Amino acid sequence: MMYSEKVMDHFMNPRNVGEIEDASGVGTVGNAKCGDIMKVYLKIEDGIVKDAKFKTFGCGAAVATSSMATELIKGKTIKESLEITNKAVMEALDGLPPIKVHCSCLAEEALHAALWDYAEKNGIVIEGLKKPVNDISEHDEVPQEDY
Amino acid sequence: MECYFDNAATTKVRAEVLEAMLPYFQENYGNPSSIYKISQKTKKAVETAREQVAKAINAPAANEIYFTAGGSESDNWALKGIADSYSSKGKHIITTAIEHHAILHTCEYLETKGYEVTYLPVDEYGLVSAEQVKEAIRPDTILVSVMFANNEIGTIEPIAEIGAVCREAGVLFHTDAVQAVAHVPVDVQAMNIDLLSMSGHKFYGPKGIGAMYIRKGIKIPSFIHGGAQERKRRAGTENVPGIVGIGKAIELASAELETEMPRLIALRTKLINGILEKIPYARLNGHPDLRLPGNVNISFEFIEGESILLLLDMNDIYASSGSACTSGSLDPSHVLLAIGLPHEKAHGSLRLTMGHFTKEEEVDFVLEKLPPIVERLREMSPLYEQIKNKK
């Protein structure tokens, strides 16, 4: 199998699948053309991510990175949330095959998109958070050193 | 239950084939080119296999069959060889948009060498017509290469009609018949085929052995230079066990064609109908009837192919997909895009290919396991959520 045991575990038993009805922020990234779409829901109270859920259209790595990214963000402060990079998600999953690195980038983008939505809804500025690219059709923009 | 549904990728070697091959590793190991007694047996075995292959495709003579290392070598040889020897006539080649990469990438290579290639589009079923070929032929056309049957969607092309058009126009006709030989009737004479590629491991023979039919009188240079094997057209000491294997395999499969085809078509019908009845938002890719007996290719909306394969694998069901994730690139299968599928539906394709060893229980098992897998992935999909909310 091309995937690590952790990736397979998070694909077979994904954590946090679903929606949050009264979500504080929702972010959707990717597109169907490329074969990956991630939608992340965050529940944020007192500056802390109390809950996170996701829905993903994509391959095994896309599901596993969504699962891991939502696991990692739960319980974090907003500032700590920004430290969940694609590399952090990959490391938590014991690595990804080179061709799947873009899935971890998408997971990071999805978290950022949900945080951005939260910030916009509440009229606040999260320092260090950039406006997400909702339609990252150019997945090959992934940093080359990861390959 | 282990269910192997990837017979288009490769097949299991039949016991009779393995049994026929075994004596050629240790007992009869002589080099067929040598003159002593023990080499006479290997030489004879190679010639027997050549006759078996010739008979299976109704080649007029066994010496029109050349053994190669597989389908890709045969395809490369046919295209590069004809391009080379007929370049004084012209530098135009006609093929289709849905060929195997062994053809498409060879054509791309030839384009860098100054050849011009026309890639004929296909219809929604993956069919190209003889009329299209006829219209594309020019005075400088030297070769038409159209696959006999497509490896992904199973569509069987109108080879006899295309062969007739080519013969009338005086243009050589090659067909990549890797998926078709020993699965559907192939007759190089009746179909006016000048060159034909095949591969042993697609019909229960060993890997690493293929063959090419080259009609007598066709000029083609040697692809592998060296010794005088294969009438000086393909050097290298013969892969004797492989050659014995492909011969035995093609003989067995051809003899059983009349009973095996309807058996597989019945399983195919059951599998296709079962899936389409049980799973909504699914469509059959390829032609409903003009299709390889063992091929099923279905797209499921809102989900992605690799995820389906991983979950099938957990149930010991082995299949393949045309999604980008399984093609090793970011684009889904060129064949599915060529028949007009939008990217998202191409990403959600599943190919199930059956063969000699496939039993009805396995089809039933797939029909039991697949619907909950699709449903499970859809429940996780944001695209499905949109559809459900619209209702």
Side-chain angles (χ1 to χ4, degrees):
Chain A
M1 173 50 65
M2 61 192 282
Y3 289 131
S4 70
E5 276 179 34
K6 270 228 175 105
V7 172
M8 282 310 288
D9 176 38
H10 276 262
F11 171 69
M12 292 303 294
N13 311 292
R15 282 66 149 177
N16 314 313
V17 175
E19 298 153 51
I20 298 174
E21 277 190 18
D22 56 343
S24 319
V26 182
T28 308
V29 294
N31 67 47
K33 191 170 180 240
C34 293
D36 298 297
I37 296 175
M38 289 183 195
K39 190 170 185 182
V40 166
Y41 301 79
L42 297 178
K43 181 81 185 158
I44 300 170
E45 281 168 15
D46 307 324
I48 290 171
V49 180
K50 294 282 184 192
D51 198 9
K53 297 267 187 210
F54 79 91
K55 284 221 166 170
T56 288
F57 159 82
C59 62
V63 172
T65 53
S66 309
S67 168
M68 183 55 88
T70 48
E71 273 294 270
L72 291 175
I73 202 170
K74 281 201 291 188
K76 296 277 196 302
T77 64
I78 289 170
K79 197 173 172 225
E80 288 166 342
S81 298
L82 294 179
E83 286 162 19
I84 304 167
T85 60
N86 81 298
K87 284 202 169 64
V89 173
M90 275 206 292
E91 275 165 26
L93 287 168
D94 292 342
L96 283 173
I99 195 145
K100 302 291 188 179
V101 171
H102 74 276
C103 293
S104 64
C105 298
L106 204 58
E108 179 190 321
E109 282 279 344
L111 296 183
H112 288 184
L115 288 168
W116 183 269
D117 182 49
Y118 163 74
E120 275 203 324
K121 277 179 183 160
N122 293 277
I124 56 169
V125 174
I126 299 173
E127 205 182 320
L129 180 66
K130 291 186 196 115
K131 188 173 168 38
V133 189
N134 257 339
D135 189 47
I136 41 173
S137 52
E138 299 301 324
H139 285 179
D140 47 3
E141 278 176 14
V142 189
Q144 284 302 309
E145 66 264 23
D146 289 329
Y147 280 85
Chain B
M1 185 172 11
E2 198 174 90
C3 300
Y4 184 71
F5 277 77
D6 206 10
N7 283 276
T10 194
T11 59
K12 178 163 137 181
V13 171
R14 285 178 68 160
E16 306 95 309
V17 172
L18 180 62
E19 200 187 331
M21 290 170 68
L22 284 175
Y24 295 91
F25 286 98
Q26 292 189 310
E27 289 165 48
N28 308 319
Y29 55 84
N31 188 321
S33 299
S34 303
I35 59 157
Y36 33 74
K37 282 197 290 293
I38 60 166
S39 286
Q40 296 307 308
K41 281 187 181 169
T42 49
K43 189 174 172 58
K44 189 165 182 296
V46 168
E47 294 321 311
T48 301
R50 206 183 302 284
E51 281 160 22
Q52 288 165 325
V53 172
K55 192 180 167 206
I57 58 170
N58 196 28
N63 65 15
E64 293 171 304
I65 303 297
Y66 297 83
F67 291 112
T68 65
S72 292
E73 185 191 319
S74 297
D75 285 345
N76 269 262
W77 186 15
L79 267 59
K80 292 175 187 167
I82 295 301
D84 189 6
S85 55
Y86 288 81
S87 61
S88 59
K89 185 195 168 194
K91 290 193 157 190
H92 180 235
I93 293 166
I94 298 167
T95 188
T96 78
I98 61 163
E99 297 295 311
H100 188 274
H101 285 141
I103 294 289
L104 290 180
H105 289 167
T106 304
C107 284
E108 285 163 20
Y109 167 79
L110 288 171
E111 283 176 312
T112 69
K113 298 287 168 193
Y115 290 84
E116 199 186 326
V117 182
T118 299
Y119 301 91
L120 296 174
V122 294
D123 70 8
E124 61 182 308
Y125 299 115
L127 283 171
V128 66
S129 71
E131 195 59 32
Q132 278 175 281
V133 173
K134 194 174 181 177
E135 281 169 16
I137 292 176
R138 314 188 310 211
D140 63 339
T141 305
I142 51 172
L143 180 70
V144 170
S145 180
V146 175
M147 70 196 329
F148 203 110
N150 184 268
N151 49 311
E152 292 186 37
I153 56 174
T155 300
I156 299 171
E157 302 297 339
I159 293 302
E161 286 91 326
I162 295 170
V165 161
C166 293
R167 189 59 56 90
E168 199 190 321
V171 174
L172 293 178
F173 178 42
H174 166 257
T175 183
D176 172 357
V178 164
Q179 293 289 334
V181 166
H183 294 286
V184 291
V186 174
D187 185 329
V188 293
Q189 294 185 69
M191 295 170 171
N192 287 313
I193 295 165
D194 296 306
L195 303 106
L196 176 145
S197 305
M198 69 172 82
S199 174
H201 75 102
K202 303 293 189 185
F203 46 81
Y204 322 104
K207 294 164 185 67
I209 186 74
M212 183 144 82
Y213 162 74
I214 306 174
R215 189 170 58 79
K216 205 173 179 176
I218 287 174
K219 283 190 294 175
I220 190 162
S222 177
F223 194 58
I224 306 282
H225 296 95
Q229 293 89 355
E230 301 297 289
R231 306 177 74 223
K232 294 185 189 167
R233 278 177 154 174
R234 204 282 186 182
T237 299
E238 295 86 343
N239 170 4
V240 180
I243 289 170
V244 169
I246 194 175
K248 186 71 185 171
I250 202 168
E251 183 185 65
L252 285 170
S254 303
E256 292 165 7
L257 212 56
E258 270 185 45
T259 51
E260 185 66 352
M261 279 182 47
R263 186 186 79 87
L264 283 174
I265 288 170
L267 290 182
R268 180 186 81 191
T269 306
K270 182 173 187 180
L271 189 52
I272 292 172
N273 292 347
I275 291 172
L276 296 180
E277 273 163 28
K278 286 170 183 240
I279 305 175
Y281 304 109
R283 61 156 272 172
L284 178 71
N285 296 317
H287 198 280
D289 305 312
L290 301 171
R291 149 174 231 122
L292 288 170
N295 175 291
V296 173
N297 188 314
I298 290 183
S299 277
F300 300 101
E301 286 190 64
F302 324 121
I303 57 174
E304 192 274 339
E306 191 207 82
S307 293
I308 308 173
L309 298 188
L310 291 171
L311 291 174
L312 285 172
D313 185 21
M314 290 293 153
N315 289 287
D316 297 329
I317 297 167
Y318 309 129
S320 77
S321 165
S323 82
C325 285
T326 53
S327 71
S329 73
L330 293 176
D331 278 320
S333 137
H334 67 285
V335 176
L336 297 176
L337 296 180
I339 60 169
L341 246 61
H343 277 69
E344 55 268 34
K345 286 187 192 173
H347 283 301
S349 76
L350 175 68
R351 182 184 73 175
L352 299 161
T353 45
M354 301 172 286
H356 175 74
F357 297 101
T358 312
K359 294 185 177 62
E360 190 166 5
E361 300 95 87
E362 295 172 51
V363 171
D364 293 334
F365 189 69
V366 170
L367 287 174
E368 177 196 328
K369 295 292 177 188
L370 186 59
I373 286 173
V374 172
E375 186 54 28
R376 174 178 169 175
L377 290 170
R378 282 181 175 169
E379 285 304 324
M380 220 188 281
S381 169
L383 299 170
Y384 192 47
E385 176 189 305
Q386 289 169 8
I387 293 294
K388 281 204 303 188
N389 291 345
K390 270 184 202 162
K391 274 187 184 172

